[in-house]
Amino acid sequence: MCYLKYILLFLFISNISFAQKKYFDIVFIIYNYNHEPVENAVITLTDTAFSKHHLLTDKQGKAKIELIPGNYTLTISHPQYFTYEEQISFVQSLIKTIHLDTKENELQNIIVTAKESKGVTTQSIIDKKAIELLQPSSFTDILELLPGGISKDPDLTTVNPIRLRQAGSVSGYNTNSLGTSFIIDGSPINTNANLQYSPDPSQRLNGQSDNKKRTTAIGIDMRSISTDDIEKVEIIRGIPSVEYGDLTSGVINIIRKSGGNKLEGRFKADGFSKLYYISKGIDFDKYNWSINTSLDLLDAKSEPRNNFETYKRYTASIRSRKLFLFNNSDLWWNVNLDFTGTTDEEKKDPDTGYDKVDHYKSSYNKLGISNSLELKLKNKWIKNIKFISSLRQETDKINQIKYVQLPTVAALPVSEIDGEYDGIYLNKDYISTVKVEGKPLDIFLKLTSNLSVSTSRVNHDILLGTEWTYSKNNGKGQVYDRYLPPNLSMGSYPRAYKDIPALAKLSFFAEDKAKISIGNHNLILAMGIRTFKMTNMNKSYKLARSFFWEPRMNLQWSLPKLFINNRSLDVDITLGYGEHKKTPTLNILYPDLYYVNYNQLNYYHNNPDYRRVNFQTYTFSRENRDLTVANNIKKEIRLDLGYNQNNFSLTFFEERMTSGFRSMTFYKHVTYKRYNTDELDHSTITSPPDLNHLNYELKNDFATYSKTENGSTTDKKGIEFQFSSKRLEAINTRLTFNGAWFQTKYKNSKPIYKSPDAIVNNQKLPYVGIYKDDEGYLMESFTTNFIADTYIPKLKMNFMLAIQCSWYNLTQYMKKDRYPLYYMGYDQIIHPYTEQDKTDTYLQWLYRNHNDLDSRREPLSLGINLKVSKKMYNEKITLSMFVNKLYSYNQKYVIYEVVQRRTSSPPYFGMEINFKL
């Protein structure tokens, strides 16, 4: 009985102790360096008594276990990643996010060039590894990795617009760059409210035109995008999902890095710029929350010895990512706070003389906040619901000081309404100060949901969504002294940007991606429709009167696998068709009034009190209420082959856009007076001339002004190809060969009004010709890029050798019509141009006896580029260098007996240091 008592007492105490032990949940989320979930990672937890608990991650990289609080040794293993080990301790439920590093001997997964996606949409994927080895200063440099891309010396003091699938470039055909959508972490960068430009149309400092810095209606200036925070870039050149709108050419989808606890930095120096970057990531594993912060500074010059033309870029970012776990769903919450500032500055060397006061400075500051909520549901039908919002406020300023020295006495009109008004005389020299203030405000809201429906043979992934955008400029606009203008031929007067209406658009889209299996054949058919409507425009505008529709379709056929030497040959054929529409921007829809002034009297007396100048003023509205969207129709076919980790892609495409935005000239009949002062006695006059007592001659003329029309055609077609080999194990080298042949036609799609400069019977020709074809350019280019990238694990070094060839660049000038289709006189009536008109005294001069320009063909240009990086101190520090045009060869060519280029080009090189602590 005594022993029994002790046994019962021991069991009672043991039961109490066991009952007091509590179990808590531990959730592990495992990612790789691309923030992609790692499936089938083995997680082992070893307690202090050396008992082991094993887990396996699912497709989302998650694993969950219940354990007693205490100290454990955590080990994570996977064949493709380094083994991860850590001592952990917990007293309550824990959510822990871990990033695994790729093994060095698994080099097949390391790609340092652009990777062609095998999905239904033609796109290039560029990850962090490729960007690091490329050593870019701005997003412009990244385009070198695309098929048809080629390295160029940086031009950071000039606007850098993007050009996708395009041969050459022609001034005035900016719809292609305007129609390329840039998206950062799900939020687009909107430039529709950008109205910033200098009112001075003359040549500015250093003999450069204002167009080299003007960004209105050209889209994103790629200089303003820092590359250091980028984790991955998806450059969609083909037909994108209907999720993406307000575009014609393509999509640049930028995904920035998140998570990690390392302090990272980068310093780069080359002949044109210096770049400084620092960032820090903070992971709160207990709360499954990460914060990333970064700072970036770029200081560039037009030329290393020129301190008077500079460009600076400042960026700062704070990004938060938080995961909330529920029983049947996960909620991801991302918040980004971003600042971007740029400064374009030009000034004269103070030793150059009288114009040493000339100065031009353009600054741009943007503060934006974006928010993303994604609810991932463990539901059979609804997979997720995602809401994205962003608010961006910009402050754009131009400050220009210009010393104006007139060669002779100049008169200035000052009236802003139609009629006859006196003007003023300007001093022979003065200083003009111009300020331009723009404050674009952009709001973006987007709600999407992904659904999944399956039948016996077909799986449907359905996307539904809606989107609303708002753009408004609340700036003061152009501010300057009307009586001290920077130029006498501006044609416009100051206007407050805040008086211009806002631009708002509501969109809806739906897409079904059906996956069909028929025997050994697999089909993916993605069909979608997008529609949008302008919501706050006056109904007198054509844009406001209807919905616009954008159907898109991609079909991919995966053929049955063919086995060669026990390895499968994968063959995919993809067809695509899509319509893509870009709405006009604010400066296109609501341009400034245009003023035409005719000097009727210019009486300049030695006595200032007796002087008088008189003008007839006409005002013209340049608004085009019939303007509609620019529509680009894309068609393409792509072949993808894959065998033993060797991949080949070949794409044929055609794009046709006949409604691009184009500034076109119009003519309006006007009359004005020409007063005669010959009868005045200049020595006895005691007051300014009285117009009522002067004889005059009534003159007729055509006043010219411009409007934006859907009047340009851009036709593209081409072939893109890329071959990427398996990394050769003996030398750890991957070979990539890519290239592209592009052909682009630029021409007018609407008739052009032209008036010849002919003088007949001592008067200007009273007719205007209307010509079908006025200008046209056929441009072709063929480029190839051979890349060998080598990784040496023992030395921890990366090498990339690229041989870039531009085989030829062709510019063929298309013929202009010599005879017009129609003509118009002062009566503003349009008449057909007939055979009899060719011998008419006046109408025969509408014949344009111009010279047809010869075609220009630039022959072979070859360059060899080298990029090297070396990791040191346990991979905490990386030293890198690059030399572009280490060797170059340019085949000479002659135009009009003048040699156009040298046989070699000077190299461009730089170095940088990176650290990750």
CSV table of all heavy atoms in Angstrom, one decimal, residues 501-547:
chain,number,residue,atom,x,y,z
A,501,PRO,N,-8.6,71.4,-67.4
A,501,PRO,CA,-9.4,70.3,-66.8
A,501,PRO,C,-8.6,69.1,-66.5
A,501,PRO,O,-7.6,68.8,-67.1
A,501,PRO,CB,-10.5,70.0,-67.8
A,501,PRO,CG,-10.6,71.2,-68.7
A,501,PRO,CD,-9.2,71.8,-68.7
A,502,ALA,N,-9.1,68.3,-65.6
A,502,ALA,CA,-8.5,67.0,-65.2
A,502,ALA,C,-8.8,65.9,-66.3
A,502,ALA,O,-9.7,66.1,-67.1
A,502,ALA,CB,-8.9,66.6,-63.9
A,503,LEU,N,-8.1,64.9,-66.2
A,503,LEU,CA,-8.3,63.7,-67.1
A,503,LEU,C,-8.6,62.5,-66.3
A,503,LEU,O,-7.8,62.1,-65.4
A,503,LEU,CB,-7.0,63.5,-68.0
A,503,LEU,CG,-7.2,62.6,-69.2
A,503,LEU,CD1,-8.0,63.3,-70.3
A,503,LEU,CD2,-5.8,62.4,-69.8
A,504,ALA,N,-9.8,61.9,-66.4
A,504,ALA,CA,-10.2,60.8,-65.6
A,504,ALA,C,-10.7,59.7,-66.5
A,504,ALA,O,-11.4,60.0,-67.5
A,504,ALA,CB,-11.2,61.2,-64.6
A,505,LYS,N,-10.4,58.4,-66.2
A,505,LYS,CA,-10.8,57.3,-67.1
A,505,LYS,C,-11.1,56.1,-66.2
A,505,LYS,O,-10.5,55.8,-65.2
A,505,LYS,CB,-9.6,57.0,-68.0
A,505,LYS,CG,-9.9,55.8,-68.9
A,505,LYS,CD,-8.8,55.7,-69.9
A,505,LYS,CE,-7.5,55.3,-69.2
A,505,LYS,NZ,-6.4,54.9,-70.2
A,506,LEU,N,-12.2,55.5,-66.6
A,506,LEU,CA,-12.7,54.3,-65.9
A,506,LEU,C,-12.6,53.1,-66.9
A,506,LEU,O,-13.1,53.2,-68.0
A,506,LEU,CB,-14.2,54.5,-65.4
A,506,LEU,CG,-14.8,53.3,-64.7
A,506,LEU,CD1,-14.1,53.0,-63.4
A,506,LEU,CD2,-16.3,53.6,-64.4
A,507,SER,N,-12.0,52.0,-66.4
A,507,SER,CA,-11.7,50.8,-67.2
A,507,SER,C,-12.3,49.6,-66.6
A,507,SER,O,-12.3,49.5,-65.4
A,507,SER,CB,-10.2,50.7,-67.5
A,507,SER,OG,-9.6,51.8,-68.0
A,508,PHE,N,-12.7,48.6,-67.4
A,508,PHE,CA,-13.1,47.3,-67.0
A,508,PHE,C,-12.4,46.3,-67.9
A,508,PHE,O,-12.2,46.5,-69.1
A,508,PHE,CB,-14.6,47.1,-67.1
A,508,PHE,CG,-15.4,48.1,-66.3
A,508,PHE,CD1,-15.9,49.3,-66.9
A,508,PHE,CD2,-15.7,47.8,-65.0
A,508,PHE,CE1,-16.6,50.2,-66.2
A,508,PHE,CE2,-16.4,48.8,-64.2
A,508,PHE,CZ,-16.9,49.9,-64.8
A,509,PHE,N,-12.0,45.1,-67.3
A,509,PHE,CA,-11.4,44.1,-68.1
A,509,PHE,C,-11.7,42.7,-67.6
A,509,PHE,O,-12.0,42.5,-66.4
A,509,PHE,CB,-9.8,44.3,-68.2
A,509,PHE,CG,-9.2,44.5,-66.8
A,509,PHE,CD1,-8.7,43.4,-66.1
A,509,PHE,CD2,-9.0,45.8,-66.3
A,509,PHE,CE1,-8.1,43.5,-64.9
A,509,PHE,CE2,-8.4,45.9,-65.1
A,509,PHE,CZ,-7.9,44.8,-64.4
A,510,ALA,N,-11.7,41.8,-68.5
A,510,ALA,CA,-12.0,40.4,-68.2
A,510,ALA,C,-11.1,39.5,-69.1
A,510,ALA,O,-11.0,39.8,-70.3
A,510,ALA,CB,-13.4,40.1,-68.3
A,511,GLU,N,-10.6,38.4,-68.6
A,511,GLU,CA,-9.7,37.5,-69.4
A,511,GLU,C,-9.9,36.1,-68.9
A,511,GLU,O,-10.0,35.8,-67.7
A,511,GLU,CB,-8.3,38.0,-69.2
A,511,GLU,CG,-7.3,37.2,-70.1
A,511,GLU,CD,-5.9,37.7,-70.0
A,511,GLU,OE1,-5.3,37.6,-68.9
A,511,GLU,OE2,-5.4,38.3,-71.0
A,512,ASP,N,-9.9,35.2,-69.8
A,512,ASP,CA,-10.0,33.8,-69.5
A,512,ASP,C,-8.8,33.1,-70.1
A,512,ASP,O,-8.6,33.1,-71.3
A,512,ASP,CB,-11.3,33.2,-70.1
A,512,ASP,CG,-11.4,31.7,-69.8
A,512,ASP,OD1,-10.7,31.2,-68.9
A,512,ASP,OD2,-12.2,31.0,-70.5
A,513,LYS,N,-8.0,32.4,-69.3
A,513,LYS,CA,-6.9,31.7,-69.7
A,513,LYS,C,-7.2,30.2,-69.6
A,513,LYS,O,-7.3,29.6,-68.5
A,513,LYS,CB,-5.6,32.0,-69.0
A,513,LYS,CG,-4.4,31.2,-69.5
A,513,LYS,CD,-3.1,31.5,-68.6
A,513,LYS,CE,-2.7,32.9,-68.8
A,513,LYS,NZ,-1.4,33.2,-68.1
A,514,ALA,N,-7.6,29.6,-70.7
A,514,ALA,CA,-8.0,28.2,-70.7
A,514,ALA,C,-6.9,27.2,-71.0
A,514,ALA,O,-6.2,27.4,-72.0
A,514,ALA,CB,-9.2,28.0,-71.7
A,515,LYS,N,-6.7,26.2,-70.2
A,515,LYS,CA,-5.6,25.2,-70.4
A,515,LYS,C,-6.4,23.9,-70.8
A,515,LYS,O,-7.1,23.4,-70.0
A,515,LYS,CB,-4.8,25.0,-69.1
A,515,LYS,CG,-4.1,26.3,-68.7
A,515,LYS,CD,-3.3,26.1,-67.4
A,515,LYS,CE,-2.6,27.3,-67.0
A,515,LYS,NZ,-1.8,27.2,-65.7
A,516,ILE,N,-6.0,23.5,-72.0
A,516,ILE,CA,-6.8,22.3,-72.6
A,516,ILE,C,-5.8,21.2,-72.9
A,516,ILE,O,-4.7,21.5,-73.5
A,516,ILE,CB,-7.5,22.8,-73.9
A,516,ILE,CG1,-8.4,24.0,-73.6
A,516,ILE,CG2,-8.4,21.6,-74.4
A,516,ILE,CD1,-8.9,24.7,-74.8
A,517,SER,N,-6.1,20.0,-72.5
A,517,SER,CA,-5.3,18.9,-72.9
A,517,SER,C,-6.1,18.0,-73.8
A,517,SER,O,-7.2,17.5,-73.5
A,517,SER,CB,-4.9,18.1,-71.6
A,517,SER,OG,-4.1,18.9,-70.8
A,518,ILE,N,-5.4,17.7,-75.0
A,518,ILE,CA,-6.0,16.8,-76.0
A,518,ILE,C,-5.0,15.7,-76.3
A,518,ILE,O,-4.1,16.0,-77.1
A,518,ILE,CB,-6.5,17.5,-77.2
A,518,ILE,CG1,-7.4,18.7,-76.9
A,518,ILE,CG2,-7.1,16.6,-78.2
A,518,ILE,CD1,-7.8,19.5,-78.0
A,519,GLY,N,-5.1,14.6,-75.7
A,519,GLY,CA,-4.1,13.6,-75.9
A,519,GLY,C,-2.8,14.1,-75.3
A,519,GLY,O,-2.7,14.5,-74.1
A,520,ASN,N,-1.7,14.0,-76.1
A,520,ASN,CA,-0.4,14.5,-75.7
A,520,ASN,C,-0.2,16.0,-76.1
A,520,ASN,O,0.9,16.5,-76.0
A,520,ASN,CB,0.7,13.7,-76.4
A,520,ASN,CG,0.7,12.3,-75.8
A,520,ASN,OD1,0.4,12.0,-74.7
A,520,ASN,ND2,1.0,11.3,-76.7
A,521,HIS,N,-1.3,16.6,-76.6
A,521,HIS,CA,-1.2,18.0,-77.0
A,521,HIS,C,-1.8,18.9,-75.8
A,521,HIS,O,-2.8,18.6,-75.2
A,521,HIS,CB,-2.0,18.3,-78.2
A,521,HIS,CG,-1.4,17.6,-79.4
A,521,HIS,ND1,-0.6,18.1,-80.4
A,521,HIS,CD2,-1.6,16.3,-79.8
A,521,HIS,CE1,-0.3,17.2,-81.3
A,521,HIS,NE2,-0.9,16.1,-81.0
A,522,ASN,N,-1.1,20.0,-75.6
A,522,ASN,CA,-1.6,20.9,-74.5
A,522,ASN,C,-1.8,22.3,-75.2
A,522,ASN,O,-0.9,22.8,-75.9
A,522,ASN,CB,-0.6,21.1,-73.4
A,522,ASN,CG,-0.5,19.8,-72.6
A,522,ASN,OD1,-1.5,19.2,-72.2
A,522,ASN,ND2,0.8,19.3,-72.3
A,523,LEU,N,-2.9,22.9,-74.9
A,523,LEU,CA,-3.2,24.2,-75.5
A,523,LEU,C,-3.5,25.2,-74.3
A,523,LEU,O,-4.1,24.8,-73.4
A,523,LEU,CB,-4.5,24.1,-76.4
A,523,LEU,CG,-4.4,23.3,-77.7
A,523,LEU,CD1,-5.7,23.2,-78.4
A,523,LEU,CD2,-3.3,23.8,-78.6
A,524,ILE,N,-3.0,26.4,-74.5
A,524,ILE,CA,-3.4,27.5,-73.6
A,524,ILE,C,-4.0,28.6,-74.5
A,524,ILE,O,-3.3,29.1,-75.4
A,524,ILE,CB,-2.2,28.0,-72.9
A,524,ILE,CG1,-1.6,26.9,-72.0
A,524,ILE,CG2,-2.6,29.2,-72.0
A,524,ILE,CD1,-0.3,27.3,-71.2
A,525,LEU,N,-5.2,28.9,-74.2
A,525,LEU,CA,-5.9,30.0,-75.0
A,525,LEU,C,-6.2,31.1,-74.0
A,525,LEU,O,-7.1,30.9,-73.1
A,525,LEU,CB,-7.1,29.5,-75.7
A,525,LEU,CG,-8.0,30.5,-76.4
A,525,LEU,CD1,-7.2,31.2,-77.5
A,525,LEU,CD2,-9.3,29.9,-76.9
A,526,ALA,N,-5.6,32.2,-74.2
A,526,ALA,CA,-5.9,33.4,-73.3
A,526,ALA,C,-6.6,34.4,-74.2
A,526,ALA,O,-6.1,35.0,-75.1
A,526,ALA,CB,-4.6,34.0,-72.8
A,527,MET,N,-7.9,34.7,-73.8
A,527,MET,CA,-8.7,35.6,-74.5
A,527,MET,C,-9.3,36.6,-73.5
A,527,MET,O,-9.7,36.3,-72.5
A,527,MET,CB,-9.9,34.9,-75.3
A,527,MET,CG,-9.4,33.9,-76.3
A,527,MET,SD,-10.8,33.2,-77.2
A,527,MET,CE,-11.5,34.6,-78.0
A,528,GLY,N,-9.1,37.9,-73.9
A,528,GLY,CA,-9.6,38.9,-73.0
A,528,GLY,C,-10.1,40.2,-73.7
A,528,GLY,O,-9.9,40.4,-74.9
A,529,ILE,N,-10.9,41.0,-73.0
A,529,ILE,CA,-11.4,42.2,-73.6
A,529,ILE,C,-11.2,43.3,-72.5
A,529,ILE,O,-11.4,43.1,-71.3
A,529,ILE,CB,-12.9,42.1,-74.0
A,529,ILE,CG1,-13.3,43.3,-74.7
A,529,ILE,CG2,-13.7,41.8,-72.8
A,529,ILE,CD1,-12.9,43.4,-76.1
A,530,ARG,N,-10.8,44.5,-72.9
A,530,ARG,CA,-10.7,45.6,-72.1
A,530,ARG,C,-11.5,46.8,-72.7
A,530,ARG,O,-11.5,47.0,-73.9
A,530,ARG,CB,-9.2,46.0,-71.9
A,530,ARG,CG,-9.0,47.2,-71.0
A,530,ARG,CD,-7.5,47.6,-70.9
A,530,ARG,NE,-7.3,48.7,-70.0
A,530,ARG,CZ,-6.9,48.6,-68.7
A,530,ARG,NH1,-6.7,47.4,-68.2
A,530,ARG,NH2,-6.8,49.6,-68.0
A,531,THR,N,-12.2,47.5,-71.8
A,531,THR,CA,-12.9,48.7,-72.3
A,531,THR,C,-12.8,49.8,-71.3
A,531,THR,O,-12.5,49.6,-70.1
A,531,THR,CB,-14.4,48.3,-72.5
A,531,THR,OG1,-15.1,49.5,-73.0
A,531,THR,CG2,-15.1,48.0,-71.1
A,532,PHE,N,-12.8,51.0,-71.8
A,532,PHE,CA,-12.6,52.2,-71.0
A,532,PHE,C,-13.5,53.3,-71.5
A,532,PHE,O,-13.8,53.4,-72.7
A,532,PHE,CB,-11.2,52.6,-70.8
A,532,PHE,CG,-10.5,53.0,-72.1
A,532,PHE,CD1,-10.5,54.4,-72.5
A,532,PHE,CD2,-9.8,52.1,-72.9
A,532,PHE,CE1,-9.9,54.8,-73.6
A,532,PHE,CE2,-9.2,52.5,-74.0
A,532,PHE,CZ,-9.2,53.9,-74.4
A,533,LYS,N,-13.7,54.3,-70.6
A,533,LYS,CA,-14.5,55.5,-71.0
A,533,LYS,C,-13.9,56.7,-70.2
A,533,LYS,O,-13.6,56.6,-69.0
A,533,LYS,CB,-15.9,55.4,-70.7
A,533,LYS,CG,-16.8,56.5,-71.3
A,533,LYS,CD,-18.3,56.2,-71.0
A,533,LYS,CE,-19.2,57.2,-71.9
A,533,LYS,NZ,-18.8,58.6,-71.6
A,534,MET,N,-13.8,57.8,-70.9
A,534,MET,CA,-13.4,59.1,-70.2
A,534,MET,C,-14.6,59.6,-69.4
A,534,MET,O,-15.7,59.6,-70.0
A,534,MET,CB,-13.0,60.1,-71.2
A,534,MET,CG,-12.0,59.6,-72.3
A,534,MET,SD,-10.5,58.8,-71.6
A,534,MET,CE,-9.7,60.2,-70.7
A,535,THR,N,-14.4,59.9,-68.1
A,535,THR,CA,-15.5,60.2,-67.3
A,535,THR,C,-15.8,61.6,-67.0
A,535,THR,O,-16.9,61.9,-66.4
A,535,THR,CB,-15.3,59.4,-65.9
A,535,THR,OG1,-14.1,59.9,-65.3
A,535,THR,CG2,-15.3,57.9,-66.2
A,536,ASN,N,-14.9,62.5,-67.3
A,536,ASN,CA,-15.2,63.9,-66.9
A,536,ASN,C,-14.9,64.9,-68.0
A,536,ASN,O,-14.7,66.1,-67.8
A,536,ASN,CB,-14.3,64.3,-65.7
A,536,ASN,CG,-12.8,64.5,-66.0
A,536,ASN,OD1,-12.3,63.7,-66.9
A,536,ASN,ND2,-12.2,65.4,-65.4
A,537,MET,N,-15.0,64.4,-69.3
A,537,MET,CA,-14.8,65.3,-70.4
A,537,MET,C,-16.1,65.9,-70.9
A,537,MET,O,-17.2,65.2,-70.8
A,537,MET,CB,-14.1,64.6,-71.5
A,537,MET,CG,-12.6,64.2,-71.2
A,537,MET,SD,-11.8,63.5,-72.6
A,537,MET,CE,-11.6,64.9,-73.7
A,538,ASN,N,-16.0,67.0,-71.5
A,538,ASN,CA,-17.2,67.6,-72.1
A,538,ASN,C,-17.6,66.8,-73.3
A,538,ASN,O,-16.8,66.3,-74.1
A,538,ASN,CB,-16.8,69.1,-72.6
A,538,ASN,CG,-18.0,69.8,-73.1
A,538,ASN,OD1,-18.6,69.5,-74.2
A,538,ASN,ND2,-18.4,70.9,-72.4
A,539,LYS,N,-18.9,66.6,-73.5
A,539,LYS,CA,-19.4,65.7,-74.5
A,539,LYS,C,-19.1,66.2,-76.0
A,539,LYS,O,-19.3,65.5,-76.9
A,539,LYS,CB,-20.9,65.6,-74.4
A,539,LYS,CG,-21.3,64.9,-73.1
A,539,LYS,CD,-20.8,63.5,-73.0
A,539,LYS,CE,-21.2,62.8,-71.8
A,539,LYS,NZ,-20.7,61.4,-71.7
A,540,SER,N,-18.6,67.5,-76.1
A,540,SER,CA,-18.2,68.0,-77.4
A,540,SER,C,-16.9,67.3,-77.9
A,540,SER,O,-16.6,67.4,-79.1
A,540,SER,CB,-18.0,69.5,-77.4
A,540,SER,OG,-17.0,69.8,-76.5
A,541,TYR,N,-16.2,66.6,-77.0
A,541,TYR,CA,-15.0,65.9,-77.4
A,541,TYR,C,-15.4,64.5,-77.8
A,541,TYR,O,-16.2,63.8,-77.2
A,541,TYR,CB,-14.0,65.8,-76.2
A,541,TYR,CG,-13.3,67.1,-75.9
A,541,TYR,CD1,-13.9,68.0,-75.1
A,541,TYR,CD2,-12.1,67.4,-76.5
A,541,TYR,CE1,-13.3,69.2,-74.8
A,541,TYR,CE2,-11.4,68.6,-76.2
A,541,TYR,CZ,-12.0,69.5,-75.4
A,541,TYR,OH,-11.4,70.7,-75.1
A,542,LYS,N,-14.8,64.0,-78.9
A,542,LYS,CA,-15.1,62.7,-79.4
A,542,LYS,C,-14.8,61.6,-78.4
A,542,LYS,O,-15.4,60.6,-78.3
A,542,LYS,CB,-14.4,62.5,-80.7
A,542,LYS,CG,-14.7,61.2,-81.4
A,542,LYS,CD,-14.0,61.1,-82.8
A,542,LYS,CE,-14.3,59.8,-83.5
A,542,LYS,NZ,-13.6,59.7,-84.8
A,543,LEU,N,-13.7,61.9,-77.7
A,543,LEU,CA,-13.2,60.9,-76.7
A,543,LEU,C,-14.3,60.6,-75.6
A,543,LEU,O,-14.3,59.5,-75.1
A,543,LEU,CB,-12.0,61.4,-76.0
A,543,LEU,CG,-10.6,61.2,-76.7
A,543,LEU,CD1,-9.5,61.9,-75.9
A,543,LEU,CD2,-10.3,59.7,-76.8
A,544,ALA,N,-15.1,61.6,-75.3
A,544,ALA,CA,-16.1,61.5,-74.2
A,544,ALA,C,-17.4,60.8,-74.6
A,544,ALA,O,-18.2,60.5,-73.8
A,544,ALA,CB,-16.4,62.8,-73.6
A,545,ARG,N,-17.6,60.5,-75.9
A,545,ARG,CA,-18.9,60.1,-76.4
A,545,ARG,C,-19.1,58.6,-76.5
A,545,ARG,O,-20.1,58.1,-76.9
A,545,ARG,CB,-19.2,60.7,-77.7
A,545,ARG,CG,-19.3,62.3,-77.7
A,545,ARG,CD,-19.9,62.8,-78.9
A,545,ARG,NE,-19.2,62.7,-80.1
A,545,ARG,CZ,-18.4,63.6,-80.6
A,545,ARG,NH1,-18.2,64.8,-79.9
A,545,ARG,NH2,-17.7,63.4,-81.7
A,546,SER,N,-18.0,57.8,-76.2
A,546,SER,CA,-18.2,56.4,-76.4
A,546,SER,C,-17.2,55.6,-75.6
A,546,SER,O,-16.2,56.1,-75.1
A,546,SER,CB,-18.0,56.0,-77.9
A,546,SER,OG,-16.7,56.3,-78.3
A,547,PHE,N,-17.5,54.3,-75.5
A,547,PHE,CA,-16.5,53.3,-74.9
A,547,PHE,C,-15.5,52.9,-75.9
A,547,PHE,O,-15.8,52.9,-77.1
A,547,PHE,CB,-17.2,52.1,-74.3
A,547,PHE,CG,-17.8,52.3,-73.0
A,547,PHE,CD1,-19.1,52.8,-72.8
A,547,PHE,CD2,-17.1,52.0,-71.8
A,547,PHE,CE1,-19.7,53.0,-71.6
A,547,PHE,CE2,-17.7,52.2,-70.6
A,547,PHE,CZ,-18.9,52.7,-70.4
